[in-house]
Amino acid sequence: MKLMPNYYHDRVCLNVLANSIDNAKAIYEAAQTHVVVGILSKNYKDNQSAIDDMKQYAKAIDNAISIGLGAGDPNQSTMVSQLSAALQPQHVNQVFTGVATSRALLGQQQTVINGLVSPTGQVGLVNIATGPLSCYSPAAIVPVETAIALLKDMGGSSIKYFPMGGLKHQDEFEYVAKCCAEHNFYLEPTGGIDLNNYEAIMKIALNAGVKKIIPHIYSAIIDKTTGATRTDDVKQLLAMTQKLVG
């Protein structure tokens, strides 16, 4: 099983959802392998059915799978960790408090694991209370720099900044990008990203000097009739990315 991501040496890697193996293969081809394909744990009734299905996805696209929670659902944290241990994917989505468990169960450092932190409305501060219990508690607001250090302590690779609401939190996002660049940490902008604001969001991260950016573009490029991600939109995102990074 390939652990080192195909996109390892890329500065930008797309993260989009697939609703079938055929859709995943089409996405992978449209993105010219510069992508991890999201498969949501929340869509499965139990671990074994998820493992059996996700293995087929992994086989079809050179293990370029991203195990997702499902709209950042903290109740999926344990399942994601367990699936990750069995599947050894290239990318894992986690709530803040689930990062260490996922890294320990993976047993290796190559898989990229993000940790979900949320905007607070205050530049320089993020909410790290995104776990299954902590998300119902008063917000745990800490400096971005501290959140990054904590994620590193737990074996995390990147900040998943969610929900962004597109450019709603632009000033905050600029500061997060600056900190990720300064502390050699990956950044995964997520929430409300579409074909209209993608370039503006990516320019912020790229201009800040972030080493690796994994933007999540979900509902905006999903066909509402079929539930499949539109490959023409993936091609457009790739073209925009190539223009931005040169």
Side-chain angles (χ1 to χ4, degrees):
M1 187 64 73
K2 183 172 183 178
L3 298 180
M4 185 65 73
N6 297 328
Y7 59 85
Y8 188 76
H9 296 292
D10 296 345
R11 192 168 175 197
V12 177
C13 169
L14 301 174
N15 189 317
V16 303
L17 298 176
N19 74 335
S20 69
I21 292 173
D22 284 344
N23 191 211
K25 288 160 69 173
I27 289 166
Y28 193 58
E29 182 179 343
Q32 298 176 22
T33 77
H34 303 284
V35 68
V36 282
V37 178
I39 313 166
L40 305 180
S41 63
K42 196 171 183 176
N43 291 343
Y44 297 90
K45 62 179 181 179
D46 54 43
N47 285 12
Q48 195 56 55
S49 61
I51 290 167
D52 291 344
D53 198 41
M54 290 184 187
K55 278 183 177 178
Q56 299 306 308
Y57 277 87
K59 184 178 179 180
I61 56 172
D62 204 16
N63 199 33
I65 63 171
S66 169
I67 299 181
L69 296 157
D73 186 348
N75 295 312
Q76 294 299 116
S77 179
T78 298
M79 184 177 183
V80 165
S81 290
Q82 292 168 341
L83 296 180
S84 299
L87 292 159
Q88 295 289 308
Q90 290 185 9
H91 186 270
V92 173
N93 294 272
Q94 261 299 0
V95 293
F96 192 89
T97 54
V99 170
T101 300
S102 284
R103 181 61 75 196
L105 289 179
L106 279 163
Q108 41 83 4
Q109 297 296 317
Q110 291 175 302
T111 293
V112 172
I113 306 175
N114 65 38
L116 196 159
V117 305
S118 299
T120 61
Q122 302 174 79
V123 173
L125 299 174
V126 291
N127 178 27
I128 63 172
T130 60
L133 297 178
S134 57
C135 71
Y136 298 108
S137 304
I141 296 174
V142 303
V144 177
E145 297 89 340
T146 303
I148 291 172
L150 288 165
L151 285 168
K152 285 185 174 183
D153 283 345
M154 295 187 291
S157 315
S158 57
I159 275 185
K160 181 175 183 177
Y161 196 54
F162 172 84
M164 281 179 52
L167 288 163
K168 180 181 177 183
H169 299 277
Q170 181 171 341
D171 291 346
E172 292 174 75
F173 180 61
E174 288 174 354
Y175 191 87
V176 170
K178 170 180 170 290
C179 289
C180 285
E182 290 175 352
H183 296 277
N184 193 27
F185 209 56
Y186 299 171
L187 177 57
E188 305 193 26
T190 314
I193 303 177
D194 57 31
L195 294 171
N196 295 316
N197 60 28
Y198 177 77
E199 287 195 38
I201 289 167
M202 292 303 296
K203 280 179 182 177
I204 291 169
L206 290 165
N207 290 342
V210 180
K211 181 179 178 180
K212 190 177 296 294
I213 309 146
I214 305 176
H216 296 231
I217 310 95
Y218 288 167
S219 59
I221 60 170
I222 291 176
D223 186 288
K224 290 180 173 58
T225 303
T226 65
T229 288
R230 294 185 292 266
T231 52
D232 283 348
D233 288 356
V234 174
K235 290 176 182 177
Q236 190 173 340
L237 288 166
L238 178 64
M240 287 190 282
T241 302
Q242 290 171 332
K243 184 179 75 173
L244 289 167
V245 299

